[in-house]
Amino acid sequence: QVQLVESGGGLVQPGGSLRLSCAASGSIFSINAVGWYRQAPGKQRELVANSISSGSTNYADSVKGRFTISRDNAKNTVYLQMNSLKPEDTGVYYCAAFIVTGAGRGNYWGQGTQVTVSS
């Protein structure tokens, strides 16, 4: 059974920084694409950033230059460094990954971590 567990969310003032972590555990052979998504109140979930196995990364226009996605493959962990945070970055942040296990392959999601940007 594969689990993704996010951590690092919290309350931060505008202009501040947070680093989110997402640790995958279980019978994992490999983790291919990984991504961070967020959902603000009353809005649809949106892609914030993703990283595929080749190392290529993509970012939503709204976070380019402020957020950085990175991976530690040895630890099966993905990070999202968020700088210069704005109130509109508030939401629940979820990580997702396409993972190959002994039983097959599929998409997995974490439970989410709340990020609130407010003075």
Side-chain angles (χ1 to χ4, degrees), residues 64-96:
K64 282 181 181 177
R66 300 188 298 121
F67 291 11
T68 303
I69 187 171
S70 61
R71 301 168 63 163
D72 185 334
N73 292 327
K75 296 182 178 180
N76 288 334
T77 300
V78 60
Y79 304 97
L80 185 68
Q81 179 66 43
M82 305 186 295
N83 299 328
S84 302
L85 282 161
K86 304 175 181 180
E88 51 264 43
D89 294 318
T90 294
V92 180
Y93 283 69
Y94 301 88
C95 69

Side-chain angles (χ1 to χ4, degrees), residues 24-84:
S25 62
S27 299
I28 297 170
F29 282 172
S30 65
I31 299 176
N32 297 339
V34 296
W36 286 97
Y37 295 75
R38 68 185 177 194
Q39 188 165 18
K43 295 188 177 181
Q44 290 187 332
R45 192 174 298 188
E46 63 176 350
L47 175 67
V48 175
N50 65 9
S51 169
I52 62 176
S53 55
S54 67
S56 174
T57 58
N58 296 285
Y59 296 90
D61 287 342
S62 59
V63 307
K64 282 181 181 177
R66 300 188 298 121
F67 291 11
T68 303
I69 187 171
S70 61
R71 301 168 63 163
D72 185 334
N73 292 327
K75 296 182 178 180
N76 288 334
T77 300
V78 60
Y79 304 97
L80 185 68
Q81 179 66 43
M82 305 186 295
N83 299 328
S84 302

